[in-house]
Protein backbone atom coordinates (compact mmCIF):
# COMPACT_ATOMS: atom_id res chain seq x y z
CA UNK A 1 0.00 0.00 0.00
CA UNK A 2 3.03 2.29 0.16
CA UNK A 3 2.68 2.62 -3.64
CA UNK A 4 -0.80 4.01 -3.11
CA UNK A 5 0.46 6.60 -0.64
CA UNK A 6 3.24 7.59 -3.01
CA UNK A 7 0.89 7.86 -5.96
CA UNK A 8 -1.58 10.08 -4.15
CA UNK A 9 1.26 12.19 -2.73
CA UNK A 10 2.69 12.76 -6.21
CA UNK A 11 -0.77 13.66 -7.52
CA UNK A 12 -1.30 16.03 -4.61
CA UNK A 13 1.89 17.93 -5.33
CA UNK A 14 1.22 18.13 -9.08
CA UNK A 15 -1.98 20.17 -8.89
CA UNK A 16 -0.15 23.41 -9.35
CA UNK A 17 -1.04 25.42 -6.28
CA UNK A 18 0.25 28.97 -6.06
CA UNK A 19 0.57 28.73 -2.28
CA UNK A 20 0.47 25.64 -0.13
CA UNK A 21 0.62 24.90 3.55
CA UNK A 22 -0.31 22.27 6.06
CA UNK A 23 2.01 19.87 7.87
CA UNK A 24 3.72 18.71 4.65
CA UNK A 25 3.52 21.98 2.77
CA UNK A 26 1.29 20.50 0.06
CA UNK A 27 -2.19 21.46 1.23
CA UNK A 28 -4.09 23.85 -1.02
CA UNK A 29 -7.63 24.35 -2.24
CA UNK A 30 -8.26 23.04 -5.75
CA UNK A 31 -10.99 24.16 -8.12
CA UNK A 32 -14.32 22.60 -7.16
CA UNK A 33 -15.23 19.68 -9.43
CA UNK A 34 -18.25 17.48 -8.75
CA UNK A 35 -19.42 16.62 -12.24
CA UNK A 36 -19.07 13.52 -14.40
CA UNK A 37 -16.87 10.87 -12.84
CA UNK A 38 -16.25 13.11 -9.82
CA UNK A 39 -19.93 13.56 -8.98
CA UNK A 40 -20.99 13.22 -5.37
CA UNK A 41 -23.44 10.50 -6.38
CA UNK A 42 -20.62 8.31 -7.65
CA UNK A 43 -18.58 9.01 -4.52
CA UNK A 44 -21.48 7.93 -2.32
CA UNK A 45 -22.10 4.83 -4.45
CA UNK A 46 -18.50 3.73 -3.98
CA UNK A 47 -18.58 4.49 -0.25
CA UNK A 48 -21.79 2.61 0.48
CA UNK A 49 -20.94 -0.08 -2.07
CA UNK A 50 -17.62 -0.79 -0.32
CA UNK A 51 -19.38 -1.18 3.01
CA UNK A 52 -22.19 -3.30 1.61
CA UNK A 53 -19.87 -5.58 -0.38
CA UNK A 54 -17.54 -6.29 2.53
CA UNK A 55 -20.33 -6.88 5.06
CA UNK A 56 -22.50 -9.00 2.76
CA UNK A 57 -19.47 -11.01 1.63
CA UNK A 58 -18.53 -11.67 5.26
CA UNK A 59 -22.04 -12.76 6.21
CA UNK A 60 -22.48 -15.00 3.16
CA UNK A 61 -19.04 -16.64 3.20
CA UNK A 62 -18.38 -16.74 6.94
CA UNK A 63 -14.88 -17.22 8.31
CA UNK A 64 -14.22 -20.85 7.43
CA UNK A 65 -12.80 -20.14 3.97
CA UNK A 66 -9.91 -17.98 2.87
CA UNK A 67 -12.21 -15.68 0.93
CA UNK A 68 -14.75 -15.46 3.73
CA UNK A 69 -12.12 -14.62 6.33
CA UNK A 70 -10.72 -11.94 4.04
CA UNK A 71 -14.19 -10.44 3.54
CA UNK A 72 -14.67 -10.44 7.31
CA UNK A 73 -11.33 -8.74 7.86
CA UNK A 74 -12.19 -6.18 5.17
CA UNK A 75 -15.52 -5.34 6.82
CA UNK A 76 -13.91 -5.09 10.23
CA UNK A 77 -10.97 -3.05 8.97
CA UNK A 78 -13.15 -0.60 7.07
CA UNK A 79 -15.45 -0.11 10.04
CA UNK A 80 -12.62 0.39 12.52
CA UNK A 81 -10.81 2.82 10.20
CA UNK A 82 -13.98 4.88 9.75
CA UNK A 83 -14.54 5.02 13.52
CA UNK A 84 -10.92 6.03 14.11
CA UNK A 85 -11.26 8.79 11.53
CA UNK A 86 -14.47 9.99 13.18
CA UNK A 87 -12.75 10.28 16.56
CA UNK A 88 -9.80 12.13 15.03
CA UNK A 89 -12.18 14.61 13.36
CA UNK A 90 -13.58 15.49 16.79
CA UNK A 91 -10.09 15.96 18.19
CA UNK A 92 -8.40 17.97 15.44
CA UNK A 93 -11.43 19.98 14.20
CA UNK A 94 -9.73 21.20 11.05
CA UNK A 95 -11.80 23.35 8.64
CA UNK A 96 -12.52 21.95 5.20
CA UNK A 97 -11.23 23.78 2.10
CA UNK A 98 -14.83 24.65 1.26
CA UNK A 99 -15.18 26.39 4.64
CA UNK A 100 -11.90 28.28 5.04
CA UNK A 101 -9.07 28.59 2.54
CA UNK A 102 -6.34 28.17 5.14
CA UNK A 103 -4.80 24.70 5.59
CA UNK A 104 -2.92 25.75 8.70
CA UNK A 105 -5.97 26.16 10.93
CA UNK A 106 -6.63 23.40 13.49
CA UNK A 107 -8.74 23.00 16.64
CA UNK A 108 -11.45 25.37 15.45
CA UNK A 109 -14.48 23.68 17.02
CA UNK A 110 -16.92 20.88 16.29
CA UNK A 111 -18.27 22.44 13.09
CA UNK A 112 -14.96 21.66 11.39
CA UNK A 113 -14.20 18.02 10.58
CA UNK A 114 -11.82 17.90 7.65
CA UNK A 115 -9.01 15.82 9.19
CA UNK A 116 -8.93 12.99 8.28
CA UNK A 117 -11.23 11.70 5.52
CA UNK A 118 -13.55 8.99 6.84
CA UNK A 119 -14.55 7.86 3.35
CA UNK A 120 -10.93 7.45 2.27
CA UNK A 121 -10.03 5.63 5.48
CA UNK A 122 -12.93 3.21 5.04
CA UNK A 123 -12.15 2.53 1.38
CA UNK A 124 -8.50 1.86 2.18
CA UNK A 125 -9.39 -0.29 5.16
CA UNK A 126 -11.68 -2.44 3.03
CA UNK A 127 -9.24 -3.15 0.20
CA UNK A 128 -6.08 -3.60 2.29
CA UNK A 129 -6.90 -7.12 3.62
CA UNK A 130 -7.57 -8.34 0.07
CA UNK A 131 -4.28 -6.94 -1.20
CA UNK A 132 -2.36 -8.41 1.72
CA UNK A 133 -4.03 -11.83 1.33
CA UNK A 134 -4.01 -12.21 -2.46
CA UNK A 135 -1.54 -9.63 -3.77
CA UNK A 136 1.43 -11.98 -4.10
CA UNK A 137 -0.18 -14.89 -5.88
CA UNK A 138 -2.75 -12.80 -7.80
CA UNK A 139 -1.13 -9.44 -8.70
CA UNK A 140 -4.32 -8.25 -10.41
CA UNK A 141 -5.76 -7.75 -6.92
CA UNK A 142 -3.57 -4.65 -6.66
CA UNK A 143 -6.08 -2.98 -8.99
CA UNK A 144 -8.29 -2.61 -5.90
CA UNK A 145 -5.96 0.20 -4.85
CA UNK A 146 -7.72 2.28 -7.50
CA UNK A 147 -10.76 2.52 -5.20
CA UNK A 148 -9.18 4.48 -2.32
CA UNK A 149 -7.10 6.43 -4.85
CA UNK A 150 -10.27 7.59 -6.58
CA UNK A 151 -11.99 8.37 -3.28
CA UNK A 152 -9.01 10.42 -2.08
CA UNK A 153 -8.84 12.42 -5.31
CA UNK A 154 -12.60 12.95 -5.42
CA UNK A 155 -12.75 14.22 -1.84
CA UNK A 156 -10.01 16.77 -2.56
CA UNK A 157 -11.72 17.84 -5.80
CA UNK A 158 -14.96 18.30 -3.85
CA UNK A 159 -13.12 20.70 -1.51
CA UNK A 160 -14.13 18.41 1.33
CA UNK A 161 -10.56 17.61 2.37
CA UNK A 162 -7.01 18.85 2.15
CA UNK A 163 -4.30 16.69 0.59
CA UNK A 164 -2.82 15.65 3.95
CA UNK A 165 -6.31 14.67 5.14
CA UNK A 166 -6.58 11.95 2.52
CA UNK A 167 -2.93 10.88 2.79
CA UNK A 168 -3.38 10.40 6.53
CA UNK A 169 -6.57 8.45 5.86
CA UNK A 170 -4.79 6.11 3.46
CA UNK A 171 -2.09 5.49 6.06
CA UNK A 172 -4.76 4.95 8.72
CA UNK A 173 -6.75 2.50 6.60
CA UNK A 174 -3.60 0.63 5.60
CA UNK A 175 -2.39 0.30 9.21
CA UNK A 176 -5.82 -0.86 10.36
CA UNK A 177 -6.08 -3.38 7.53
CA UNK A 178 -2.62 -4.73 8.37
CA UNK A 179 -3.45 -5.04 12.08
CA UNK A 180 -6.72 -6.86 11.40
CA UNK A 181 -5.05 -9.17 8.87
CA UNK A 182 -2.42 -10.27 11.39
CA UNK A 183 -5.05 -11.67 13.72
CA UNK A 184 -6.05 -15.32 13.43
CA UNK A 185 -9.67 -14.52 14.26
CA UNK A 186 -11.72 -11.34 13.74
CA UNK A 187 -11.93 -8.97 16.70
CA UNK A 188 -15.70 -8.81 16.48
CA UNK A 189 -15.96 -12.59 16.85
CA UNK A 190 -13.65 -12.90 19.82
CA UNK A 191 -16.65 -13.89 21.97
CA UNK A 192 -17.45 -16.80 19.65
CA UNK A 193 -15.95 -20.25 20.38
CA UNK A 194 -12.90 -20.39 18.14
CA UNK A 195 -13.78 -16.99 16.65
CA UNK A 196 -15.67 -18.68 13.82
CA UNK A 197 -18.78 -17.51 11.96
CA UNK A 198 -20.53 -19.97 9.65
CA UNK A 199 -21.64 -18.14 6.52
CA UNK A 200 -25.24 -18.07 5.38
CA UNK A 201 -24.50 -20.07 2.25
CA UNK A 202 -23.30 -22.97 4.38
CA UNK A 203 -26.31 -22.87 6.70
CA UNK A 204 -28.77 -23.41 3.92
Amino acid sequence: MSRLLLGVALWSTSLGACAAGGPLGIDHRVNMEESGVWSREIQKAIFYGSMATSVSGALIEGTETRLGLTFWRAAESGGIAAIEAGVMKKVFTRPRPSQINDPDLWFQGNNYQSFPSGETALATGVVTPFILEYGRDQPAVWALAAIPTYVAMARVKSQAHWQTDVLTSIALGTATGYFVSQREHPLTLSFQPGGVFVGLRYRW
Side-chain angles (χ1 to χ4, degrees):
M1 295 300 288
S2 58
R3 304 177 201 175
L4 175 56
L5 276 170
L6 178 60
V8 175
L10 291 174
W11 168 79
S12 298
T13 56
S14 69
L15 293 176
C18 296
L24 298 180
I26 63 172
D27 291 330
H28 55 278
R29 179 193 281 175
V30 303
N31 293 330
M32 171 73 79
E33 187 173 354
E34 281 193 328
S35 61
V37 69
W38 305 111
S39 71
R40 187 63 183 138
E41 288 72 24
I42 293 178
Q43 294 178 38
K44 289 180 179 178
I46 290 177
F47 176 70
Y48 291 114
S50 297
M51 288 195 298
T53 300
S54 59
V55 171
S56 60
L59 294 177
I60 292 171
E61 285 289 326
T63 60
E64 295 185 297
T65 66
R66 183 185 184 189
L67 178 61
L69 184 57
T70 306
F71 264 121
W72 202 278
R73 287 170 173 163
E76 193 169 81
S77 173
I80 293 173
I83 292 172
E84 291 170 337
V87 172
M88 292 173 69
K89 286 175 181 289
K90 297 291 186 181
V91 173
F92 291 100
T93 60
R94 186 186 198 187
R96 299 180 188 273
S98 62
Q99 295 174 309
I100 300 175
N101 189 17
D102 185 348
D104 293 311
L105 291 179
W106 300 79
F107 309 108
Q108 299 299 302
N110 289 332
N111 291 329
Y112 303 104
Q113 299 187 12
S114 182
F115 181 87
S117 166
E119 293 182 30
T120 306
L122 182 141
T124 309
V126 168
V127 305
T128 296
F130 284 97
I131 292 174
L132 292 175
E133 181 65 31
Y134 295 103
R136 287 188 177 182
D137 53 314
Q138 298 183 37
V141 172
W142 276 94
L144 290 174
I147 296 175
T149 300
Y150 164 82
V151 173
M153 295 173 66
R155 299 309 286 146
V156 172
K157 286 179 175 289
S158 295
Q159 294 186 355
H161 293 286
W162 303 99
Q163 286 78 4
T164 51
D165 294 342
V166 297
L167 287 174
T168 300
S169 299
I170 290 172
L172 178 64
T174 301
T176 303
Y178 177 81
F179 169 74
V180 170
S181 296
Q182 296 308 298
R183 294 182 55 84
E184 182 179 359
H185 304 295
L187 285 167
T188 49
L189 293 180
S190 57
F191 61 89
Q192 291 271 91
V196 173
F197 176 84
V198 179
L200 298 178
R201 63 179 274 183
Y202 298 104
R203 290 180 178 178
W204 307 102

